[in-house]
Amino acid sequence: KKYRHSWPQPHDTNIITESKAFANLALWISSHGSSEPFVYDEMRHSLYFGRQNENHKNELMALISDMERIGYEVCAPLMFDGKLEGMIFLGEKDNRQAYTESDIRFLKILSYNCTLRLRHLKMLDRIRQLEGLAALGEMAAYIAHEVKNPLTVIRSSAQLIKSENPEERTSDMII
């Protein structure tokens, strides 16, 4: 499949509008759970020549509008366990040619590897957090032990004082 659409050159747009377009794309990808890259030219081709119901057509028009707003031609979701971890966006190719099946296949492999790397980094971060919590737990146990030893001696002494002098009220408060 090779489609070519005359793509407008990137222009300065409102950052809020771009952020909203990115958010819309992320929301759509998350709700559909697809890890397949989508290509601007193919979406336009599908819109004009494909057969889809009105709801799908409206979704497609909104996606095309968002892709135009941010100025990218290809979006590859980084999905893991049905969760969107990130997105890779590609602009127009240097040679101004359309993205080919081979390009998209390479992008799928790249996005899969990026997803695995992101998950790996998140797991390492989680391991570091757990190691920190384990160290904190060990430190708390050490402090509790160091505080408890002298308190045991004080309590034993208070009990000894009380056994020698049963009317001593201070030893009752300590015990």
Side-chain angles (χ1 to χ4, degrees):
K1 299 177 193 174
K2 284 189 178 182
Y3 312 118
R4 183 78 255 145
H5 170 72
S6 59
W7 186 258
Q9 291 299 315
H11 53 281
D12 293 332
T13 57
N14 186 338
I15 292 174
I16 295 171
T17 305
E18 289 179 6
S19 296
K20 185 177 179 188
F22 282 116
N24 290 344
L25 287 167
L27 183 65
W28 187 87
I29 292 167
S30 294
S31 67
H32 286 76
S34 173
S35 61
E36 288 294 312
F38 47 97
V39 182
Y40 176 82
D41 287 341
E42 289 180 10
M43 290 189 304
R44 287 186 56 85
H45 182 81
S46 176
L47 179 65
Y48 294 120
F49 301 111
R51 295 177 188 219
Q52 61 269 39
N53 63 35
E54 196 63 31
N55 188 32
H56 185 263
K57 192 175 189 176
N58 289 338
E59 281 184 353
L60 204 52
M61 285 176 22
L63 286 174
I64 289 170
S65 173
D66 288 335
M67 291 290 281
E68 286 173 349
R69 201 172 306 142
I70 58 178
Y72 292 104
E73 288 200 18
V74 179
C75 175
L78 305 178
M79 300 288 288
F80 191 83
D81 288 340
K83 183 179 173 211
L84 181 64
E85 299 286 338
M87 298 182 280
I88 297 174
F89 289 94
L90 300 177
E92 185 176 53
K93 290 172 69 172
D94 287 341
N95 62 8
R96 301 187 59 86
Q97 297 291 313
Y99 284 93
T100 63
E101 299 261 345
S102 173
D103 295 333
I104 300 305
R105 204 170 27 256
F106 177 76
L107 182 59
K108 284 181 186 181
I109 293 168
L110 177 67
S111 63
Y112 177 74
N113 286 326
C114 287
T115 302
L116 289 179
R117 182 65 178 151
L118 279 173
R119 293 301 290 188
H120 178 76
L121 291 173
K122 285 184 178 185
M123 287 190 317
L124 287 176
D125 188 44
R126 182 69 179 142
I127 288 169
R128 282 189 207 103
Q129 287 176 348
L130 292 174
E131 287 173 346
L133 288 174
L136 186 62
E138 286 178 22
M139 189 176 5
Y142 175 77
I143 291 171
H145 176 74
E146 291 300 316
V147 169
K148 190 175 179 184
N149 281 345
L151 289 178
T152 304
V153 172
I154 293 170
R155 183 176 185 175
S156 298
S157 298
Q159 288 173 339
L160 183 62
I161 292 171
K162 182 170 174 107
S163 67
E164 291 174 0
N165 186 1
E167 296 174 7
E168 180 67 37
R169 296 188 60 144
T170 309
S171 60
D172 283 339
M173 290 189 311
I174 294 174
I175 297 174

